[in-house]
Amino acid sequence: MAYVFGKNAEQVFTNPILGGDHPDPTIVRDGNDYYMTHSSFEYLPGLTVYHSNDLVNWEPISYALRKNLGSVWAPDICKHNGKYYIYFTVSKGNDDFYNYVVTSKSPYGPWSDPVDLKVGNWIDPSHVYDEGKNVRWLFMSGGHRIRLSDDGLSTIGKMEKVYDGWQIPPDWTVEGKALEGPKVKKIGDYYYFLNAEGGTAGPATTHMAIVARSKSVDGPWENSPINPLIHTYCNVEKWWSKGHASLIDTPDGKWWAVYHAYNKDRLNQGRQTLLEPIEITSDGWLKAPTGAEVVHPLAKPVIEENQKREKKISSKIGGKKITGEYDFAKSLSDFRIGKEWKGWKGIQANRFNIKAKAITIEGKGDNPASASPLMFVAPDVNYEMSAKFEIEGNAEAGLVLYYNEYFFVGLGCDKNKVTCWRRGQRRDKGHNRLGKDFWLKLRFEDQVVTGYMSRDGKEWYQMQWGLEVSGYNHNTLSAFLSLLPGVYCSGKGKVSVSCFQYKKLPNDNVY
């Protein structure tokens, strides 16, 4: 346990390394630089790429997907022969799966258009390179693999099954076998084959990461006697459904696991990205000694000599770190759609114009579901956001917490009336006494959303429509999504949004 409980504040970190909805992490190291991306599901731009030099502080640098292909699952980022690749699955519902790849000379982009690999039925593609034979493979769910062409843009031959997985003890509570999320890493003489099993959500003890090894990419694969590597063993643990792990090393030869998990008190935040150390035992197996203690401060993987930074970057909005307060008006020159901000099933860039410390949004549709809200990932369990709105034409605009087009909660106004949104349904709250210029605020505290209005952004009065939203999560609504905060504009007109502020609230009532 030498990794755990560092005493120097500058030399420790606390999980998660990326708070809020950052599921299915995949990571690659290039020298002293790390790059990571995640499943983006229905949000676009998608496949946001993050950069770090220490595995703890992350910043979005690019996005690899501009087209709406469907729900984007379980990517794998890698570098081969000087080029970066991201392999990923697209689900179109009802077990209708497709697999694609995008490429770039740099993780900063630009990224290519998606290339269809013509592989269906299986999910979670992962690039594996056989150094000895100079052959590239695509490992996939269910213990399958198929050979890749030399350029990595097509497949050769037929899919073959090479691994049966690990036998989950019959008395464990899981969703099912669900052998998926393959990742292979060569360490010394062995290829270590990580897979997820048990299912991705549901019971706290469902998910896990298991390990097998072989001296050849061709197998046979021997399961670890100390499986699983990563797992939630009890529902009193803070982090539920831990799993879908990737291995990553530091320049000094240490190994770490990056994986996702739900905060048991905030399932509607989605799966968050965690980091913990990995040891190699005397007989060559991988072991995660931290276990449930991952809730405590851990020694940082990399300590930079010039590291004077006080905080970790959980997420960024418009270039401002949002672990404290974020002032939209002061950072519009750095407003970045696709890095911090994204939309539901796509963003039409011509709807947005940034100038004079405000963003103008053209109306679309007739409610938040059809308006493609502009959203971001909030890293905090309790928070509030507020903004000034100036309506032009017959538009309605406001703030929203959005799960999907059927389930969202929010507060909006047009020039005449005030509207509250509960469970995706409109509730008329009477005449808009403030006219076309007004301030709105949403507070998300201990799973309850409340709304406020103001004439000047200083004196607020509360709208009496509070809603408890703990059920807005995958276990209830499916689709693997989370509750994201954002701004919407619908109708025939536009809105100018300024003075946007995000503020973290205390979370004293959260374990």
Side-chain angles (χ1 to χ4, degrees):
M1 295 296 247
Y3 292 103
V4 187
F5 309 126
K7 295 181 180 180
N8 188 330
E10 294 183 356
Q11 297 181 356
V12 300
F13 74 97
T14 303
N15 276 303
I17 55 172
L18 277 176
D21 192 27
H22 294 93
D24 302 323
T26 170
I27 189 169
V28 64
R29 179 170 73 89
D30 187 4
N32 293 321
D33 295 288
Y34 299 91
Y35 304 99
M36 181 163 58
T37 190
H38 306 78
S39 293
S40 49
F41 297 107
E42 304 285 355
Y43 307 116
L44 278 173
L47 295 174
T48 300
V49 178
Y50 291 83
H51 169 260
S52 176
N53 288 119
D54 62 4
L55 286 173
V56 173
N57 298 289
W58 293 91
E59 179 181 4
I61 59 171
S62 69
Y63 57 88
L65 188 62
R66 302 177 295 276
K67 297 182 178 180
N68 183 12
L69 301 175
S71 186
V72 175
W73 294 7
D76 182 60
I77 188 170
C78 63
K79 184 181 182 183
H80 185 77
N81 286 342
K83 182 182 286 188
Y84 287 86
Y85 298 77
I86 300 178
Y87 294 89
F88 60 97
T89 295
V90 170
S91 170
K92 296 192 177 181
N94 299 318
D95 295 329
D96 188 15
F97 302 122
Y98 302 82
N99 290 278
Y100 293 82
V101 62
V102 291
T103 64
S104 178
K105 294 180 180 179
S106 166
Y108 289 82
W111 291 86
S112 71
D113 287 336
V115 176
D116 188 350
L117 296 168
K118 309 297 183 183
V119 176
N121 299 322
W122 294 275
I123 63 174
D124 302 3
S126 177
H127 176 269
V128 179
Y129 177 56
D130 186 335
E131 298 177 353
K133 297 180 180 179
N134 190 28
V135 173
R136 302 174 70 174
W137 293 94
L138 203 62
F139 278 59
M140 305 199 70
S141 61
H144 293 86
R145 74 172 186 177
I146 190 169
R147 185 171 172 178
L148 281 169
S149 60
D150 289 343
D151 64 4
L153 302 181
S154 62
T155 59
I156 300 170
K158 296 182 179 180
M159 190 75 68
E160 59 179 333
K161 188 170 180 68
V162 295
Y163 178 59
D164 292 324
W166 177 69
Q167 183 60 52
I168 300 173
D171 59 340
W172 284 25
T173 301
V174 297
E175 288 183 309
K177 179 77 169 182
L179 182 61
E180 58 190 23
K183 295 287 186 290
V184 177
K185 184 71 70 173
K186 191 166 191 285
I187 305 175
D189 295 332
Y190 288 102
Y191 289 90
Y192 291 91
F193 190 9
L194 272 64
N195 280 269
E197 278 191 1
T200 54
T205 56
T206 287
H207 210 18
M208 66 191 78
I210 61 163
V211 181
R213 73 181 184 188
S214 174
K215 290 189 176 181
S216 169
V217 172
D218 301 321
W221 297 99
E222 176 189 9
N223 281 314
S224 170
I226 52 177
N227 268 332
L229 178 69
I230 303 292
H231 184 50
T232 303
Y233 286 91
C234 179
N235 63 7
V236 300
E237 295 182 35
K238 175 179 179 177
W239 294 107
W240 283 11
S241 300
K242 297 193 296 188
H244 201 104
S246 294
L247 294 174
I248 193 67
D249 63 333
T250 53
D252 63 356
K254 298 289 187 357
W255 286 92
W256 294 75
V258 175
Y259 59 92
H260 65 207
Y262 286 100
N263 180 339
K264 75 179 183 69
D265 295 303
R266 289 293 186 273
L267 298 183
N268 52 21
Q269 272 194 287
R271 291 166 291 178
Q272 309 184 48
T273 300
L274 278 63
L275 175 72
E276 69 173 277
I278 297 297
E279 294 179 356
I280 302 178
T281 65
S282 59
D283 53 353
W285 288 107
L286 304 181
K287 180 181 179 181
T290 308
E293 302 301 318
V294 74
V295 297
H296 297 294
L298 303 173
K300 285 184 178 178
V302 179
I303 305 297
E304 298 179 88
E305 292 183 5
N306 61 349
Q307 193 174 31
K308 304 289 185 183
R309 291 174 288 188
E310 311 163 330
K311 64 288 154 193
K312 64 182 174 67
I313 305 173
S314 295
S315 179
K316 292 178 64 192
I317 303 177
K320 295 292 183 181
K321 303 170 185 66
I322 60 172
T323 51
E325 294 190 10
Y326 160 68
D327 190 338
F328 187 79
K330 294 180 180 178
S331 58
L332 281 173
S333 62
D334 201 24
F335 180 85
R336 304 184 300 183
I337 293 176
K339 295 180 181 177
E340 295 82 26
W341 294 84
K342 52 192 174 182
W344 178 252
K345 297 186 178 180
I347 287 180
Q348 297 170 299
N350 60 2
R351 290 183 61 210
F352 304 94
N353 184 36
I354 302 169
K355 63 180 181 179
K357 294 186 176 182
I359 179 169
T360 300
I361 306 174
E362 296 283 346
K364 178 185 176 185
D366 58 5
N367 58 58
S370 55
S372 296
L374 192 58
M375 298 176 287
F376 60 92
V377 176
D380 303 301
V381 295
N382 291 330
Y383 58 87
E384 67 179 25
M385 59 176 173
S386 61
K388 180 181 180 182
F389 295 83
E390 298 179 47
I391 296 288
E392 296 182 34
N394 295 318
E396 176 185 293
L399 300 173
V400 67
L401 293 176
Y402 197 90
Y403 187 86
N404 60 20
E405 63 263 57
Y406 307 106
F407 290 92
F408 52 87
V409 55
L411 176 62
C413 297
D414 61 19
K415 290 186 294 185
N416 301 312
K417 65 180 183 301
V418 179
T419 297
C420 294
W421 296 96
R422 295 167 57 91
R423 306 179 190 91
Q425 300 175 352
R426 183 186 294 273
R427 300 292 180 91
D428 186 359
K429 296 299 289 186
H431 182 67
N432 176 11
R433 293 173 293 170
L434 303 181
K436 66 182 183 67
D437 299 348
F438 50 86
W439 293 70
L440 300 178
K441 177 165 66 176
L442 285 187
R443 177 182 286 253
F444 180 36
E445 187 172 26
D446 298 332
Q447 297 287 22
V448 174
V449 180
T450 50
Y452 303 79
M453 296 188 68
S454 174
R455 189 178 301 277
D456 56 9
K458 297 178 181 179
E459 295 185 17
W460 297 88
Y461 64 92
Q462 182 174 341
M463 307 297 295
Q464 294 185 326
W465 59 273
L467 184 66
E468 202 275 344
V469 294
S470 60
Y472 284 49
N473 63 70
H474 170 74
N475 288 347
T476 305
L477 304 177
S478 74
F480 302 106
L481 301 172
S482 67
L483 202 56
L484 297 188
V487 179
Y488 78 94
C489 180
S490 62
K492 304 294 184 180
K494 57 186 177 181
V495 65
S496 176
V497 185
S498 60
C499 303
F500 189 104
Q501 289 189 327
Y502 171 96
K503 181 180 180 181
K504 176 181 178 179
L505 299 175
N507 57 329
D508 296 339
N509 295 332
V510 179
Y511 168 78

